[in-house]
Amino acid sequence: MTTTGEETATARGGPWWWGRRRSAVFDWCLALASALECAAEGVPFAREAGIPVGVGVVFGLLAGSVLLVRRRYPIAVVLVAIAITPAEMGFLMGTVGLYTLAATELPRRIIASLAGMQLVGTLIVTFVRVRQDIARGDLTLGDWFVPFASVAISLGLTAPPLLLGLYVGARRRLMESLRERADDLERELQLLAERAEERAEWARNEERTRIAREMHDVVAHRVSLMVVHAAALQAVARKDPEKAVRNAALVGDMGRQALTELREMLGVLRSGGEGERRPAAAVAAVAVARVVEEGEGPCLEELEELVGQSAAAGMVVELTVEGEVRGYAPQIEQTAYRVVQEALTNVHKHAAGAKARVRLAHRVAEIAMQVENEPPPEAGSASSAGLPSGGNGLVGMRERVVGLGGVFVSGPTEAGGFRVSAVIPAG
């Protein structure tokens, strides 16, 4: 990217007040030419004034060299040019000085005043010189030529540099304004890029959380039931072989179901990026969205089977359904199912042997669910299977419900149990 504004100014460098070295060289050349011109014009001036020629030459050299400071002190250069106009010297200095003055950002009234002074001075000197030439007979034209020549020469020496300087100054200010706008636009683009990166990072974190929550819900419940059945199998393997065989069959069924759900999720993740190269987070997000929106996840019709699995694992669980049963959007049904699933999983983990009640209510504009368990038979006892807890179950349920505009409440009951309640809008 090219540098603009302050970076460009910093990249340039020159001696003293010059921004560039070539500008300094150019001004030195102009000052030398002006000094030589004034020195040459100082010879006839010295003869007419009756002073030594050397004095006139030195005066011309000093006066002409003032053009060196035209960028720093343009007013001084124009004033010197006006002052030496009666001596008929400094035409180059007057022209360049007036151009430099007009190109600066000085107030227009100052530029107009100095330009008017130079115009009047040139007009008077030209008028006197042409009139003297006609009087001496050097010019054979009529008296009409005196004012014509005076006006033409004074305008010719004043108007072009003035107009050119005003144009160059306006163009320079326009370019500076465009450069500042480019700098502002570049800063805005950088800020937008930073904000876009922040939003992308936030979106990636959100998708990671969503994928982790989905994978947790897919696997954690069935694996928890497998651990419970394995613990029961270990306890009754010698005492009741038939029950051990049933528990082993249940463990196998649970494992196959968990693998099936996990395989479906991974299959969607793989197919989500076929035919195009996209970031892993984007592919995963599409996969999770397909699982939710296309109805590939669980639904409320499977709720009775879910409760039956917990009952088969030894939990005393009761399911109650109120209201008119009807279908909902896939996201709503899956969220309601996951809330009940995670709540029953927590009962297995933290209140083994406790009785649980699952209530599902179909209302006019919402669906409500509640899972409440009694305290475990032995106060403070944990699951005999030693199920681990990641501490993300309730957080995940709350995020799911709140994401659909619902309300989620969980906490201990007065009897010492635990209650999970959620209400999700039906529309």
Side-chain angles (χ1 to χ4, degrees):
M1 184 177 294
T2 58
T3 58
T4 56
E6 296 180 359
E7 296 180 359
T8 305
T10 304
R12 305 169 182 171
W16 296 340
W17 57 82
W18 286 283
R20 298 177 180 177
R21 294 185 182 276
R22 63 181 182 181
S23 299
V25 173
F26 181 71
D27 284 357
W28 275 96
C29 293
L30 281 179
L32 179 60
S34 177
L36 294 177
E37 178 207 355
C38 292
E41 294 168 346
V43 175
F45 167 71
R47 291 173 180 173
E48 293 180 1
I51 60 176
V53 175
V55 175
V57 172
V58 172
F59 175 75
L61 288 173
L62 294 176
S65 62
V66 176
L67 190 60
L68 183 65
V69 296
R70 69 183 185 93
R71 298 178 190 266
R72 189 67 178 268
Y73 306 107
I75 296 179
V77 174
V78 174
L79 290 176
V80 171
I82 295 173
I84 63 176
T85 298
E88 296 185 25
M89 64 174 60
F91 295 103
L92 176 62
M93 182 172 61
T95 302
V96 177
L98 186 59
Y99 160 79
T100 306
L101 178 69
T104 60
E105 297 182 359
L106 291 172
R108 292 297 177 87
R109 63 179 182 274
I110 296 179
I111 298 176
S113 300
L114 293 176
M117 293 171 60
Q118 185 165 342
L119 175 65
V120 172
T122 307
L123 178 65
I124 295 174
V125 172
T126 305
F127 182 87
V128 172
R129 177 59 64 181
V130 173
R131 191 175 182 84
Q132 290 176 352
D133 291 340
I134 292 177
R136 287 196 302 264
D138 296 339
L139 295 175
T140 59
L141 299 175
D143 294 337
W144 63 269
F145 183 73
V146 176
F148 173 77
S150 302
V151 173
I153 294 175
S154 60
L155 287 177
L157 293 177
T158 305
L162 177 65
L163 296 177
L164 181 61
L166 291 175
Y167 167 75
V168 172
R171 184 176 180 273
R172 185 180 300 161
R173 287 187 290 272
L174 176 61
M175 295 301 296
E176 185 65 25
S177 175
L178 293 177
R179 187 178 295 112
E180 291 177 358
R181 291 183 181 180
D183 292 340
D184 294 339
L185 180 59
E186 185 176 356
R187 285 191 290 268
E188 290 179 2
L189 290 176
Q190 291 177 352
L191 182 60
L192 289 176
E194 293 175 358
R195 291 181 178 176
E197 182 62 27
E198 292 176 359
R199 287 194 295 268
E201 183 63 26
W202 176 84
R204 285 193 292 267
N205 293 334
E206 287 294 315
E207 291 305 330
R208 290 192 191 101
T209 303
R210 187 179 180 188
I211 295 167
R213 183 171 61 242
E214 191 68 27
M215 298 295 289
H216 172 272
D217 292 341
V218 167
V219 179
H221 178 72
R222 299 195 185 281
V223 174
S224 299
L225 292 180
M226 290 172 60
V227 174
V228 172
H229 282 295
L233 176 62
Q234 183 179 5
V236 301
R238 295 181 181 180
K239 298 179 181 179
D240 193 346
E242 295 182 359
K243 187 174 182 181
V245 171
R246 290 196 299 270
N247 286 338
L250 289 174
V251 171
D253 291 340
M254 296 296 174
R256 282 187 291 271
Q257 291 175 3
L259 288 175
T260 299
E261 291 188 11
L262 184 60
R263 190 178 295 113
E264 290 177 356
M265 173 66 69
L266 295 178
V268 174
L269 284 171
R270 292 193 185 97
S271 64
E274 292 180 355
E276 55 181 340
R277 294 182 178 179
R278 290 184 294 176
V283 174
V286 173
V288 173
R290 285 179 54 186
V291 170
V292 175
E293 296 175 2
E294 298 181 5
E296 298 183 15
C299 58
L300 291 177
E301 295 180 356
E302 303 175 16
L303 197 59
E304 187 173 351
E305 179 182 356
L306 175 67
V307 173
Q309 292 172 356
S310 294
M315 178 189 296
V316 180
V317 55
E318 176 185 346
L319 173 62
T320 303
V321 180
E322 302 175 359
E324 182 181 355
V325 179
R326 63 183 187 277
Y328 300 93
Q331 290 183 344
I332 296 176
E333 293 209 8
Q334 182 175 352
T335 299
Y337 180 93
R338 294 302 189 192
V339 169
V340 176
Q341 182 186 57
E342 182 62 28
L344 291 177
T345 302
N346 287 340
V347 176
H348 284 291
K349 290 181 179 180
H350 307 292
K355 182 179 180 180
R357 289 183 295 275
V358 179
R359 299 175 183 175
L360 183 67
H362 299 273
R363 299 171 183 170
V364 176
E366 60 188 16
I367 178 173
M369 64 227 66
Q370 183 182 90
V371 179
E372 181 180 349
N373 64 273
E374 298 178 355
E378 296 181 5
S381 66
S383 175
S384 58
L387 291 170
S389 176
N392 297 319
L394 294 177
V395 176
M397 284 190 283
R398 182 183 301 278
E399 291 175 350
R400 283 180 177 273
V401 174
V402 173
L404 295 178
V407 178
F408 180 86
V409 179
S410 63
T413 62
E414 296 180 357
F418 199 84
R419 181 187 299 118
V420 174
S421 301
V423 178
I424 304 175

